[in-house]
Amino acid sequence: MAAKDRIGFIGVGFMGHGMAKNLLEKGFPLTIMGNRNRAPVDALIALGATEVKTPAEVARASDILFLCVTDSSVVEKLIRGPEGIKAGASKGLVVVDCSTANPVSTQELAEELKPLGITFCDAPLNGTPAQAEVGQLGAMIGADDATLARIRPAVEAWAARIAHVGGVGAGHQMKLLNNFLAMGYGAIYAEALALARKSGITPKTFDSVLRGSRMDCGFYQTFFRYVLEGDRNAHLFTLNNALKDLRYLEAMADGAKLSNPVGNAVKNSYAIAVAQGRGEEYVPMVSDAIAELNGLG
């Protein structure tokens, strides 16, 4: 049996911990870079991961290196910093960015790394931390056919659904479209709930009509688990990240010379929530922001 690729992983947070755990459980040698939240790092070390201190060290120990971080600015620092991936990588390394990032930055990084023999591609995620823990995420791959074939065995360790959507950057473009739809639902739910309350219709009554109808979906259910039950952990995606993604979507639309009035309206709903100081709260709490805007306690 051929030896498995050595895997590096930077960003073992909400999503990354489950992904990294599944790589270990599938027998891949794993090197991780620790962070301030020690619990997931220590849990992975207990399962056999090796911890190092810098991105360069992760790169030196890896054949394939996954990134699962906040945004493009973080990815760029990890690549270009003095102890960054670029400083430690050898020819043949494949860097797979699973973050939700700016496609323009993704394509620029791929061109920058190509002369060094380093392949950069994108594989943003579709799913929840719970799905990450059991290896049931979706992946939207932006890569050429040869790179996809190279990384597929490692991606299959944590993804149940793999969609090859195009070349480098296409994964991040598709992810922004996906998040636009999700955050759009959230903004609509929030406004509809506020109008319902103003009209004397309770959230419970609202839900009794929507649940099980054609308008029901997984996103609706996690959103309303917060609205009805107060479960703050129902959808672990911050309002800051939602707004960041919608700003990336706006830049994508500008680059395509597309008028996107709905995208801007959705973005502004999340901008209101962040302006209220709710940035580290989670997406379903946009309903509280819109309620507050309309004088509803």
Side-chain angles (χ1 to χ4, degrees):
M1 181 182 291
K4 289 183 180 290
D5 282 314
R6 299 171 302 152
I7 306 298
F9 211 108
I10 300 175
V12 292
F14 282 142
M15 302 294 277
H17 172 265
M19 297 162 68
K21 176 178 71 71
N22 277 282
L23 283 158
L24 282 168
E25 290 175 348
K26 302 299 192 305
F28 288 92
L30 184 69
T31 300
I32 60 175
M33 190 177 84
N35 53 32
R36 287 173 295 178
N37 181 5
R38 292 301 306 175
V41 175
D42 291 341
L44 291 169
I45 292 170
L47 291 172
T50 299
E51 181 186 8
V52 296
K53 300 297 185 183
T54 68
E57 291 176 278
V58 180
R60 277 192 285 270
S62 304
D63 301 308
I64 298 171
L65 199 171
F66 289 101
L67 306 177
C68 192
V69 295
T70 308
D71 58 28
S72 287
S73 66
V74 177
V75 173
E76 290 166 3
K77 289 175 185 175
L78 289 170
I79 297 288
R80 295 170 174 155
E83 290 293 321
I85 291 166
K86 194 172 174 180
S90 299
K91 185 176 180 180
L93 176 68
V94 181
V95 181
V96 186
D97 185 10
C98 299
S99 317
T100 301
N102 183 341
V104 174
S105 173
T106 302
Q107 291 164 341
E108 288 175 351
L109 286 169
E111 287 302 311
E112 180 180 328
L113 294 172
K114 188 175 181 179
L116 304 176
I118 305 165
T119 301
F120 189 84
C121 63
D122 43 319
L125 313 171
N126 191 4
T128 65
Q131 289 173 304
E133 288 294 319
V134 295
Q136 293 294 307
L137 291 173
M140 297 162 256
I141 308 287
D144 59 37
D145 289 341
T147 301
L148 174 60
R150 171 81 190 283
I151 67 173
R152 182 182 283 276
V155 174
E156 286 177 341
W158 49 260
R161 291 165 290 113
I162 296 174
H164 186 198
V165 296
V168 175
H172 283 147
Q173 290 171 335
M174 188 64 230
K175 174 63 173 177
L176 293 179
L177 294 169
N178 180 86
N179 281 16
F180 169 42
L181 293 174
M183 299 310 110
Y185 275 126
I188 291 170
Y189 296 158
E191 192 168 319
L193 282 164
L195 180 56
R197 288 177 61 190
K198 285 275 191 178
S199 304
I201 297 171
T202 68
K204 185 176 180 180
T205 299
F206 186 100
D207 179 69
S208 72
V209 174
L210 273 289
R211 190 168 296 270
S213 76
R214 290 179 64 191
M215 301 305 296
D216 195 353
C217 64
F219 183 88
Y220 175 90
Q221 290 168 20
T222 56
F223 195 99
F224 272 76
R225 200 156 76 234
Y226 170 71
V227 170
L228 297 175
E229 303 171 22
D231 182 357
R232 297 178 66 85
N233 296 321
H235 192 107
L236 295 174
F237 190 70
T238 68
L239 291 163
N240 276 332
N241 279 334
L243 180 57
K244 175 264 297 182
D245 291 354
L246 291 162
R247 285 175 170 153
Y248 284 165
L249 180 87
E250 182 178 35
M252 179 177 162
D254 289 345
K257 296 182 171 56
L258 177 82
S259 174
N260 65 324
V262 175
N264 278 289
V266 172
K267 180 195 71 176
N268 287 337
S269 291
Y270 291 88
I272 287 166
V274 171
Q276 291 175 351
R278 301 177 184 273
E280 288 305 307
E281 295 181 6
Y282 300 123
V283 161
M285 298 167 201
V286 71
S287 60
D288 296 333
I290 299 303
E292 181 180 312
L293 182 70
N294 286 284
L296 296 165

